[in-house]
Amino acid sequence: MISPRTLRSLKRGLNRNALAKVGIVVVVVVLLAAIFAPFVAPDKPGKQNLNESRKPPIGFEKATTQEVPVQENGSVVFEDGQLVTENRTVYENATWDHPLGTDGNGRDILSRLIYGARVSLLVGLLGTGLAMLAGVSVGLIAGYYRGKVDDVLMRSADVMLAFPSIVLAIALIGVLGDALERSVPDPFVQTGLAEAFRSAVGLPTGMPESTVLPGTIIVVVALVNWVWFARVARGEALSLREESYVKAARALGANDATIMFRHVLPNAITPILVLGTIQIAAIILLESALSFLGFSSANISWGFDIALGRQYQSTAWWISAMPGLAIVITVIGLNLVGDWLRDALDPGLGGEGGV
């Protein structure tokens, strides 16, 4: 349970911090869009229509050079029996059917962003959860027992930190392969709720019945990032193990596991939660990088869509720019929320701390 004192500190910090409100709005909007993707996506994310390839977003137009016949007085011109042509710049305007434009295969970019948010948030949340579970457990044990146990566990963490995150992640993907990939059914589509809603409002039906869950990526990002939680949890455990209430619990016969997880962990949770919020953003960035490089099995992902748009940078910049902008906005929103939690809960920064 969150104490009333902590709730007051959070509210006070939110009232003082306008950027925190912006961050919360961004995170909530992205989260709701991902959850209710079958209802809000304007089209099927995988639907191809080459006749609408590389449509520009609203507010922009696409200039293309076309070879057209030369006309004089309303008639085409022939010279030596050959049709005379000239190159002419033709401007193609955006349409509200595709407010953020289309990619090289004519797929709606907004729909792909909405469904891509599902993959990014799932990897961010589940990866952070696994990293937190492993890292906090290791950190508490190392900080509580100290000595040789601490040396072995934290030197293992130092070895992990010696490798660049992206290089270590690629190596682990090579070891694990695709064995952990899963498809998560979409309850809104399978129960018919989404299809009924879309039919009622005139939107295209046939939305994806499942979302690809890149299990390997989730495990890999957790293995790469657990060390940060371990270091924070160890530092908290080192200081809290000397508190009077820990000594009292030990004197009353409580075992080590009870002391660590019932007395030390609840009082160390504040910096861990703050780190978790920031790590979600870092893991989303790592997942996007791995998808961009082709190491993810998800074919609807922000990083994957950026990679698809590389060949159109000079003619259709929005194909890469829109998913890149989605990553930037989401990561900034999460970091703003993390800063708010840190400022509100850290006693050293004026917050009250404690949960």
Side-chain angles (χ1 to χ4, degrees):
M1 283 292 293
I2 299 177
S3 67
R5 183 187 63 170
T6 302
L7 288 177
R8 289 194 303 270
S9 181
L10 289 172
K11 291 179 181 178
R12 186 165 56 249
L14 186 61
N15 291 332
R16 294 198 303 254
N17 193 340
L19 289 177
K21 298 176 183 177
V22 174
I24 291 174
V25 169
V26 168
V27 172
V28 170
V29 168
V30 174
L31 186 61
L32 291 178
I35 294 173
F36 298 104
F39 297 97
V40 299
D43 206 345
K44 293 182 287 186
K47 178 183 176 182
Q48 299 186 20
N49 185 353
L50 296 180
N51 292 327
E52 296 187 345
S53 173
R54 289 175 285 170
K55 290 280 187 181
I58 293 297
F60 297 89
E61 57 185 13
K62 182 178 70 173
T64 57
T65 301
Q66 297 182 2
E67 188 177 9
V68 298
V70 175
Q71 295 187 3
E72 290 183 0
N73 299 323
S75 302
V76 296
V77 177
F78 289 88
E79 185 177 302
D80 297 330
Q82 299 293 325
L83 181 66
V84 179
T85 61
E86 64 178 357
N87 291 329
R88 184 177 299 171
T89 301
V90 177
Y91 294 93
E92 183 177 2
N93 294 320
T95 65
W96 282 104
D97 291 337
H98 307 288
L100 295 185
T102 60
D103 65 8
N105 294 318
R107 296 174 295 194
D108 182 66
I109 290 178
L110 178 57
S111 299
R112 294 186 65 81
L113 290 185
I114 292 173
Y115 271 87
R118 283 187 160 188
V119 175
S120 293
L121 290 179
L122 279 173
V123 173
L125 293 171
L126 295 179
T128 301
L130 286 177
M132 184 183 296
L133 180 64
V136 169
S137 299
V138 170
L140 287 179
I141 293 172
Y144 183 81
Y145 287 108
R146 301 186 299 184
K148 293 183 178 180
V149 174
D150 183 22
D151 290 339
V152 171
L153 293 177
M154 298 317 295
R155 294 303 76 77
S156 300
D158 291 340
V159 170
M160 298 287 291
L161 288 174
F163 295 93
S165 297
I166 190 72
V167 175
L168 181 59
I170 292 173
L172 290 172
I173 290 173
V175 173
L176 296 175
D178 296 331
L180 302 176
E181 311 302 334
R182 296 291 185 273
S183 292
V184 179
D186 189 324
F188 297 121
V189 176
Q190 295 202 344
T191 58
L193 292 175
E195 299 298 289
F197 173 82
R198 297 181 71 87
S199 297
V201 298
L203 292 174
T205 57
M207 306 305 285
E209 295 186 357
S210 62
T211 299
V212 175
L213 182 66
T216 299
I217 299 294
I218 293 173
V219 172
V220 164
V221 297
L223 291 174
V224 170
N225 287 280
W226 69 269
V227 292
W228 304 110
F229 291 98
R231 292 169 72 91
V232 171
R234 171 183 176 271
E236 294 294 313
L238 282 173
S239 61
L240 293 174
R241 72 185 303 278
E242 304 300 333
E243 294 291 334
S244 57
Y245 55 85
V246 173
K247 295 179 179 179
R250 190 181 297 118
L252 291 173
N255 58 44
D256 292 341
T258 300
I259 294 174
M260 282 189 289
F261 292 100
R262 290 191 60 184
H263 299 284
V264 175
L265 179 58
N267 290 283
I269 200 66
T270 296
I272 293 172
L273 289 179
V274 174
L275 176 62
T277 305
I278 298 173
Q279 280 298 110
I280 292 175
I283 286 177
I284 288 176
L285 286 174
L286 180 57
E287 183 274 333
S288 298
L290 293 172
S291 297
F292 177 84
L293 295 173
F295 290 103
S296 176
S297 60
N299 57 4
I300 302 178
S301 169
W302 290 343
F304 180 75
D305 283 354
I306 293 175
L308 290 180
R310 284 179 297 177
Q311 59 183 313
Y312 303 111
Q313 285 292 339
S314 60
T315 58
W317 53 267
W318 54 87
I319 299 177
S320 291
M322 294 304 174
L325 189 61
I327 294 172
V328 170
I329 291 174
T330 303
V331 169
I332 289 176
L334 287 167
N335 285 334
L336 291 175
V337 172
D339 290 343
W340 161 57
L341 292 176
R342 181 198 61 197
D343 295 344
L345 299 178
D346 189 342
L349 296 174
E352 297 187 10
V355 176

